[in-house]
Every structure is written in C-alpha cells, then in structure tokens.
Amino acid sequence: MRTSTSSPAALLITGTVGSGKTTTARYIGALLRQGATPHAVIDLDALRDAWPSPEADPFHEQLMLANLRDVARNHLAAGALRLVLAGVLEDSAQQPLYEQAAGVPLTVCRLRVDLSDVEGRLRQRHHDDREALDWHLHRSGELDAILNAVGIGDLEVPVAAGQAPSEVAQAVIRAVGWNADATPPVG
C-alpha cells in the first residue's frame, strides 16, 4: 500500500446547484483510495442540514463551519492527508473561514457546467417534487451569476455535457496536483 508523504491539504469543490460537486468529490475519494492516500470526503450540505435556519443565515453557513471544524479535526487526527469538501462557496471573502475551519491549506475548484446541462440534471433529480425542482432551477441561475460575478475559485474545471464523473474527478485532481496518475474507479 502506497501512502502520500505530503502535508495535509483540503480541496473544496464548488459550483452552482446541480453542477456535480458531491458526485465529483466521491469519485476523487475513490481515486485517492486507489492511490492509497488517506483522505475524507465531506459533504458540506450534510453539515448544514438542520431546520429551521436563522433568518440572518438562511443556508446555515455558521453551523456548517462549526461542524466542519470538528469533523475536519477528527479526520486529520485519524490520519487523513486530504480533505475533499463538496459545497457552495458564494463569497470569496468567506474562503479564509472555510480554510480556517478545515484546519489545513484549502484550494477551491469551481466546476463550470452549462446551465442547460444543469437544468437536465435537476429535472432528473427532482422529477417527483415540483416545488424542489422550481427552487433549484431558479437557484442554479442565480448562484451561477453570483459565482461568475465574484470569480469564485482558485481554479476552474469545465464540465462537458455527458462527461463521465470519473473524468471530471481526474481533471480536478490533475488541476490541483493530487495523484494525477491515478486511474478512474470501475463502475
């Protein structure tokens, strides 16, 4: 089993809703596992999933950051060298807070997906919930415009229509310089 000797680091995969953040993070986790790199994949939405949210913090960012601080610390103490985070970062001024919560240097990678492809993904994901579909369709365009306006991300990876998640994951780890020689997971 090969292990990495590099210093711990974190990667936040961000993008609009439906861009493939969580799926890409999972595939990166599989690639890191194949490369025998100790890691953790953390879905930031799961760390903020509580109801109700405060009026001043509708997406529970403060709760998510507090949870990330603890979860990241525990994973690092257990030996993780790579933290792969999936979530939305809307404000570049908040990036230092995410890095502080992760406890290690953080690189932010934005997945850039054409909104027509996002719409197709969202229609498939929320086919049985019209209210959720409408909200996500509206939010995808709104969030994409926000991310464009503020230039979120240290790097950007374009995602082509129909591109396999394993290919996106490989492109991301190549862009960030992590185990670029790993092969994609099977299945």
Side-chain angles (χ1 to χ4, degrees):
M1 181 161 136
R2 181 173 60 106
T3 59
S4 174
T5 58
S6 59
S7 299
L11 169 65
L12 171 59
I13 301 164
T14 196
T16 193
V17 295
S19 62
K21 301 175 295 292
T22 303
T23 300
T24 300
R26 288 185 187 133
Y27 273 83
I28 290 172
L31 291 169
L32 292 172
R33 189 175 318 111
Q34 285 181 350
T37 301
H39 69 280
V41 176
I42 303 168
D43 182 353
L44 298 184
D45 283 344
L47 299 182
R48 70 173 84 235
D49 190 6
W51 186 89
S53 59
E55 194 173 306
D57 188 8
F59 296 109
H60 266 307
E61 186 171 41
Q62 294 308 308
L63 176 63
M64 181 276 299
L65 288 170
N67 286 338
L68 176 57
R69 222 176 328 278
D70 292 339
V71 170
R73 182 183 66 240
N74 291 337
H75 281 299
L76 292 167
L81 291 175
R82 298 288 181 254
L83 300 178
V84 183
L85 315 176
V88 174
L89 175 63
E90 286 186 57
D91 181 352
S92 56
Q94 298 293 94
Q95 185 170 336
L97 297 177
Y98 282 61
E99 183 170 71
Q100 185 179 36
V104 294
L106 174 73
T107 301
V108 177
C109 176
R110 178 179 175 194
L111 299 180
R112 185 171 292 277
V113 183
D114 187 270
L115 285 179
S116 64
D117 296 331
V118 168
E119 179 180 345
R121 293 174 181 191
L122 293 173
R123 287 190 184 285
Q124 185 174 25
R125 183 190 324 174
H126 300 290
H127 66 90
D128 60 349
D129 185 344
R130 184 63 193 199
E131 185 178 336
L133 175 61
D134 290 345
W135 187 89
H136 283 89
L137 287 173
H138 173 76
R139 181 67 174 148
S140 66
E142 174 184 71
L143 186 54
D144 192 60
I146 290 168
L147 298 176
N148 287 337
V150 297
I152 290 293
D154 299 311
L155 52 102
E156 201 173 272
V157 171
V159 179
Q163 187 174 11
S166 60
E167 294 172 354
V168 177
Q170 286 182 315
V172 171
I173 62 171
R174 271 194 306 273
V176 80
W178 290 2
N179 290 346
D181 60 337
T183 56
V186 177

